[in-house]
Amino acid sequence: MTVRSGHERQGDGGRKLPGGSAVPLNEAYDTALLDLDGVVYAGGEAIPYAVEALGVARAGGMHLAYVTNNALRTPDEVATHLTDLGVPAVAGDVITSAQAVARLIADEVPPGSRVLVIGGEGLRVALRERGLVPVESADYEPAAVVQGYGGPDLPWGRFAEAAYAVARGVPWYASNTDLTIPGARGIGPGNGAAVEVVRIATGGRVEPKVAGKPLPPMHRETVLRTGAERPLVVGDRLDTDIEGAFNGGVDSLLVLTGVTDVAQLLIAVPEHRPTYVAADLRGLLVGQPEVVAGDGGVVVCGGWRASVSGGELVLESAREVGADVMDGVRALCGAAWSAAGDGAFGLDAGKALSRLGW
């Protein structure tokens, strides 16, 4: 088996090329740590090809774990939803930022402490699991305040309760700070936007302790609950899924079914550069072609050559027909990341992207 990890440093510029694998990824890694929103489903409905791809990966012996920054639902609810979609799962397969932040709080406050909850049932269940007592008002003298995504119907008064407690000096925690969340109708505000409401109301002088991806508490929770030895993080967000994999020292697969598009991928800084990239979860079931840096800054993948010339990315097809569009994306990533080194690529990519239909 040959797997070349994109996390290996190349010279002094960090990760410059996407990785390659001679065998399917579901054989190269023992566990897929899958994000949910934008990867498996969006707005509650399965993303095209997700159910079938995960079924094949599972049948081949890959352990599937679902790691989400969305703290709204309990693991039982998430597992039931997945099963209803055709992806059999049990609560133990699901790791949430609610669980991660509950462990973080339990490590820092006395057992049995009251915690003011601004969020949904997922947070309450996770807190009780750690022996903490969820409360609804700042008047109950909580030992901590915790915010998690509460869905579109979370009452505005909940933010006021958080602001009252935080302003009094009560320690403040957040399950995650994702500013957005994908849904069936588009991209909506996430828990990070709700955290900003409380920050503004309290004068911006206090920062919450955050547990979710890409930070260490979420990685710790995932390792403790899955026991993965060769994990592959699978996600749609550069600043949570991919950076979380980078921080944990594990490989990652970015799928282009959620928040991140190719233009954002090309300008990614090193900690946001995935090991692999695929259009959707079918990428789990195949190997990844080698991306090769040649002379003069030319990067080759499959039937495509990419380079930087005259202040812009240039993409050329080496074949008249049959060149895989995703190989073109990988070649462009290699050219852009190599040119950027440890920074972010800032040149024009418009013409190159148009050749691929983006």
Side-chain angles (χ1 to χ4, degrees):
M1 177 177 70
T2 301
V3 176
R4 182 173 61 77
S5 169
H7 287 290
E8 296 171 358
R9 292 186 63 83
Q10 301 174 45
D12 294 326
R15 293 172 289 161
K16 294 181 179 179
L17 302 174
S21 175
V23 298
L25 298 183
N26 63 307
E27 297 177 15
Y29 300 90
D30 69 336
T31 304
L33 305 178
L34 295 131
D35 185 45
L36 288 172
D37 293 300
V39 175
V40 179
Y41 53 64
E45 297 298 321
I47 286 173
Y49 311 112
V51 173
E52 297 83 358
L54 293 175
V56 173
R58 185 190 313 103
M62 189 179 216
H63 177 211
L64 306 180
Y66 303 95
V67 186
T68 177
N69 264 1
N70 190 331
L72 177 60
R73 295 187 293 174
T74 68
D76 276 322
E77 290 172 327
V78 173
T80 298
H81 181 203
L82 287 169
T83 301
D84 289 344
L85 290 177
V87 182
V90 297
D93 297 326
V94 180
I95 301 95
T96 73
S97 62
Q99 294 170 324
V101 77
R103 190 185 297 271
L104 179 61
I105 296 169
D107 287 345
E108 298 183 356
V109 302
S113 292
R114 297 186 185 96
V115 178
L116 174 60
V117 176
I118 314 301
E121 187 63 16
L123 269 180
R124 295 180 181 87
V125 168
L127 291 168
R128 294 188 190 106
E129 184 183 51
R130 293 286 152 217
L132 301 169
V133 180
V135 297
E136 303 297 313
S137 171
D139 293 338
Y140 285 108
E141 299 184 357
V145 178
V146 62
Q147 279 187 266
Y149 182 66
D153 299 322
L154 187 68
W156 189 254
R158 305 302 301 142
F159 303 129
E161 293 296 327
Y164 301 150
V166 172
R168 294 204 303 256
V170 177
W172 182 23
Y173 299 82
S175 63
N176 66 297
T177 52
D178 299 36
L179 289 173
T180 60
I181 186 169
R185 298 172 60 196
I187 304 298
N191 192 54
V195 167
E196 287 301 311
V197 171
V198 176
R199 190 198 314 275
I200 292 168
T202 54
R205 296 182 296 272
V206 184
E207 295 288 333
K209 292 185 178 181
V210 183
K213 297 179 284 187
L215 298 172
M218 190 66 168
H219 182 69
R220 178 178 66 149
E221 193 72 22
T222 301
V223 170
L224 288 172
R225 290 181 181 266
T226 66
E229 295 182 359
R230 300 189 319 278
L232 177 69
V233 170
V234 184
D236 70 309
R237 300 185 71 108
L238 301 180
D239 58 347
T240 55
D241 305 313
I242 305 309
E243 185 176 340
F246 177 88
N247 290 340
V250 299
D251 286 347
S252 60
L253 168 67
L254 179 83
V255 291
L256 298 172
T257 50
V259 169
T260 302
D261 61 23
V262 178
Q264 293 167 316
L265 181 59
L266 295 181
I267 63 173
V269 293
E271 61 268 28
H272 290 173
R273 296 171 188 169
T275 316
Y276 312 110
V277 59
D280 51 58
L281 280 177
R282 289 176 294 179
L284 267 181
L285 309 179
V286 296
Q288 290 271 317
E290 189 172 13
V291 183
V292 179
D295 295 335
V298 175
V299 175
V300 177
C301 182
W304 298 93
R305 294 190 299 263
S307 60
V308 176
S309 177
E312 66 178 353
L313 268 178
V314 176
L315 182 66
E316 301 173 295
S317 176
R319 304 174 186 166
E320 291 298 322
V321 293
D324 189 314
V325 168
M326 289 308 303
D327 287 347
V329 171
R330 297 175 184 110
L332 285 175
C333 286
W337 298 349
S338 296
D342 281 337
F345 185 77
L347 301 181
D348 183 13
K351 291 181 181 178
L353 289 175
S354 68
R355 290 210 63 184
L356 298 176
W358 270 283

